[in-house]
Amino acid sequence: MNDAKIREHVVTHLQQALAMERAQIGELRTLRDEAGIPAVRALLDQHLSATEAHGDRVEQRLAELDASSSLRLMGQALGSAIPKQIINRVRPASECAILRDAIAAEAMEVAAYLLLEAEAIRGGDESTATIARELRVDEVATRDELMTFWNQAVGRDVDRRTGDGASRTHVARTMLIDHLRDTHALERNAVVMLSTVLTTVNDELACERVADHRDVTKRHGDEILRRLHELGSRASLRKQAQGIAFAAIKGPINLVRAERAAKDLRDMYVVEHLKLVAYSQLAVLAELAGDDATLRLAQAQRLEEATMADWLEREGARFLLETLHAST
């Protein structure tokens, strides 16, 4: 691939990053306004200002490269954000849902800047690589701080549902069962996604790592299902079917879309954070419900997901660069 084509890819990733940052502004405002935990609201308000500044910095870099924002990408990003905001307004009030969506948004931004940095390094564009690296550090810091609020978020959601003579422990147990079913569906969906990713990874070590994690993900789903049975419940066929249907649609798209390895890295990174969120929430619910077995399960599986997320953040750009070089 010639230098002009590589530069074009860098510009495209900058345009995507700008569209993402601009689209996040509306989402962050919605989440900030809905947040019931004062410290979360303050953090989201602070990050809203940072997001505006991030967008300005990316836009400035585009101008330095004699490029501008992409109206098409901006429209796609804003269009995808509008339904999300509508869903947010009609969903039941939930501090956990607010926290989950905020963390998922941060994970998406971290992944986007990992990809931008990799493309910039490949093109020898150190200025863009530095911007991507510095903005990623900001996003990681916000993500990590949001992750510290699970006790408060789950506690508020349990308290909101406690009433009419129901004990806090009973409510936590009811919520625990439902969340186990959600987590089981998420793991099943992740297995299908990881199987698709294996068809696009071009790095031997990365392929081995993804295959190993697919096996871990299968085991996680089996262990969650076993725990549901021990608690006298079962998996939700509706939730599982929705997840598998989504992954099945996504699979063929991955096989034909441009820069599929880059997009797969982004998808893996975001899904790992959704699973980290799921197990963080599950652990707090299990503790409130007095369910030591589920607590141990959630803690063990969260540790394995955190290890994979760390690997993607540390090594993902390397194997992406190798894949990009192999394609030229």
Side-chain angles (χ1 to χ4, degrees):
M1 186 178 294
N2 59 40
D3 291 345
K5 194 66 176 176
I6 292 174
R7 179 188 177 282
E8 181 183 330
H9 280 211
V10 171
V11 167
T12 297
H13 277 281
L14 279 165
Q15 290 171 332
Q16 289 171 344
L18 177 59
M20 175 190 65
E21 293 286 11
R22 297 309 191 209
Q24 289 287 21
I25 291 173
E27 172 70 1
L28 283 170
R29 283 177 181 152
T30 301
L31 293 171
R32 177 200 61 189
D33 294 344
E34 290 186 349
I37 300 173
V40 171
R41 193 183 310 119
L43 177 59
L44 292 175
D45 192 55
Q46 175 185 337
H47 192 61
L48 178 59
S49 297
T51 297
E52 292 171 342
H54 289 179
D56 291 344
R57 192 170 178 193
V58 171
E59 191 168 31
Q60 179 182 348
R61 182 57 189 155
L62 277 167
E64 291 168 354
L65 293 172
D66 294 323
S68 60
S69 62
S70 165
L71 292 178
R72 177 181 60 82
L73 291 173
M74 196 78 72
Q76 288 175 348
L78 292 172
S80 66
I82 291 171
K84 185 84 166 52
Q85 292 179 36
I86 293 172
I87 291 169
N88 285 347
R89 292 193 186 102
V90 302
R91 70 184 174 196
S94 168
E95 298 297 337
C96 288
I98 291 166
L99 204 53
R100 176 203 64 209
D101 290 352
I103 291 169
E106 292 308 303
M108 179 70 79
E109 291 184 293
V110 171
Y113 286 121
L114 279 169
L115 300 179
L116 175 58
E117 183 181 359
E119 282 284 9
I121 290 172
R122 180 171 68 141
D125 184 347
E126 183 54 38
S127 295
T128 298
T130 298
I131 290 171
R133 197 175 304 119
E134 291 175 354
L135 297 187
R136 175 164 53 86
V137 168
D138 285 350
E139 306 296 353
V140 167
T142 302
R143 176 205 66 191
D144 290 349
E145 191 167 355
L146 285 167
M147 278 287 193
T148 67
F149 289 101
W150 281 109
N151 283 3
Q152 292 182 58
V154 175
R156 279 176 173 257
D157 283 356
V158 170
D159 289 341
R160 185 178 287 117
R161 293 177 58 173
T162 300
D164 299 326
S167 71
R168 202 165 186 262
T169 301
H170 175 75
V171 169
R173 287 175 180 167
T174 300
M175 292 174 66
L176 177 70
I177 295 292
D178 193 48
H179 192 59
L180 278 166
R181 299 170 86 192
D182 286 341
T183 306
H184 177 261
L186 177 61
E187 292 288 17
R188 293 303 191 207
N189 184 22
V191 169
V192 179
M193 182 204 71
L194 289 168
S195 296
T196 299
V197 169
L198 284 170
T199 68
T200 67
V201 174
N202 203 32
D203 177 85
E204 185 176 348
L205 291 176
C207 191
E208 182 179 343
R209 187 70 178 83
V210 173
D212 286 346
H213 192 63
R214 181 186 57 180
D215 294 341
V216 167
T217 300
K218 288 179 180 177
R219 172 169 55 79
H220 285 182
D222 292 343
E223 290 176 352
I224 290 288
L225 183 59
R226 187 178 307 116
R227 186 62 192 143
L228 276 167
H229 290 164
E230 291 168 353
L231 292 170
S233 187
R234 59 185 180 182
S236 168
L237 294 178
R238 176 181 59 81
K239 291 177 180 179
Q240 188 172 336
Q242 287 173 343
I244 290 176
F246 171 75
I249 292 170
K250 211 171 138 39
I253 294 172
N254 280 345
L255 292 176
V256 299
R257 67 188 178 182
E259 298 178 350
R260 55 192 183 179
K263 295 188 191 317
D264 283 344
L265 172 62
R266 179 204 63 194
D267 294 348
M268 277 194 294
Y269 190 77
V270 173
V271 168
E272 283 309 306
H273 280 78
L274 287 174
K275 293 200 282 181
L276 283 173
V277 161
Y279 286 117
S280 297
Q281 186 175 344
L282 185 60
V284 179
L285 281 170
E287 191 168 9
L288 291 175
D291 185 342
D292 291 339
T294 301
L295 176 59
R296 288 193 297 271
L297 179 65
Q299 289 173 333
Q301 296 193 175
R302 188 191 187 285
L303 181 60
E304 289 181 302
E305 301 298 352
T307 300
M308 183 61 178
D310 289 344
W311 180 85
L312 282 169
E313 195 165 324
R314 186 179 65 253
E315 298 291 336
R318 180 194 61 77
F319 86 71
L320 175 61
L321 272 171
E322 293 190 10
T323 301
L324 291 171
H325 279 301
S327 66
T328 59

